[in-house]
Amino acid sequence: MNDAKIKWMLVQMYFLYYAATGVYQPYVSVYLQSGGLSGVEIGSVLGIVPVIGFLAPLLWGWTADRYNRNAAIMTILLCGAAASLIGFTLAHHLVYFVLSMGFLTLFISAFPSLLDSFTLSYLQRGSGQYGRFRLWGSIGYGIGGLIATALTLRLPLGSHLYYGRSNPGRGNGHHPEDRPGLPDPCGSTG
């Protein structure tokens, strides 16, 4: 693969990974709430992230270094994360949310470190500066967050996410008329 293709691949990987993070991260707790979880249950689901997120990069980094297969491990991580997200969207019970979040964290938490390692190894050959690649991650995060917010506020999916997926009608605490004084971000009239 020539130098220009590698640079373009790295730009895309930073942009897409952080764009996905910008979509997922701000809304995961809202999604869990729309799944019917209480605040304590949401805290339980999100509380496993730091524990697994501390250990998983060590495991995956060691594996990538041991077998010198950084790109292959990153592919495994992205495929595992995609499968975990599918499981996450199908979950309807606390245990399944916890398991899905655990597997998602197991796979996705090591990806940025391995991507940085891959990028820095590439740059040791004198092909550029790290900041020029990582900048695309920041741009991706901002654009991903803006797109997710715009979609959440404009599409029917947004009201589904914002007001609750199980019962978007009145009386569940998620409908605008159940929360006096709070604006309706989707502009529905009730």
Side-chain angles (χ1 to χ4, degrees):
M1 194 179 296
N2 69 28
D3 206 41
K5 284 185 181 180
I6 293 173
K7 287 180 180 179
W8 178 237
M9 178 198 66
L10 289 171
V11 163
Q12 290 176 48
M13 289 175 76
Y14 276 105
F15 181 86
L16 292 174
Y17 171 78
Y18 285 101
T21 302
V23 168
Y24 156 81
Q25 199 173 42
Y27 291 103
V28 69
S29 61
V30 176
Y31 180 79
L32 291 170
Q33 183 182 23
S34 76
L37 272 60
S38 69
V40 171
E41 291 170 328
I42 292 170
S44 299
V45 172
L46 297 179
I48 64 168
V49 172
V51 175
I52 296 173
F54 173 74
L55 298 173
L58 299 173
L59 168 72
W60 290 111
W62 177 84
T63 304
D65 289 346
R66 170 84 167 91
Y67 297 103
N68 198 24
R69 302 291 306 218
N70 198 327
I73 297 295
M74 287 193 304
T75 302
I76 291 168
L77 294 176
L78 291 176
C79 290
S84 299
L85 277 174
I86 291 169
F88 197 76
T89 61
L90 298 175
H92 293 289
H93 188 271
L94 176 63
V95 172
Y96 299 120
F97 280 120
V98 169
L99 289 172
S100 297
M101 182 60 78
F103 281 112
L104 176 61
T105 304
L106 175 69
F107 288 110
I108 206 64
S109 63
F111 186 80
S113 300
L114 291 176
L115 180 58
D116 288 344
S117 173
F118 186 85
T119 303
L120 292 172
S121 294
Y122 167 74
L123 292 175
Q124 283 182 344
R125 294 181 253 152
S127 301
Q129 296 176 338
Y130 172 76
R132 291 184 181 176
F133 295 103
R134 182 56 186 83
L135 172 65
W136 286 100
S138 297
I139 292 170
Y141 187 88
I143 290 174
L146 288 173
I147 289 171
T149 300
L151 291 175
T152 299
L153 296 177
R154 300 278 183 237
L155 297 178
L157 171 65
S159 61
H160 164 78
L161 177 64
Y162 192 80
Y163 296 123
R165 66 182 180 185
S166 59
N167 180 12
R170 295 181 58 192
N172 65 355
H174 298 294
H175 194 275
E177 291 181 18
D178 294 337
R179 300 171 296 126
L182 294 177
D184 177 10
C186 297
S188 69
T189 58

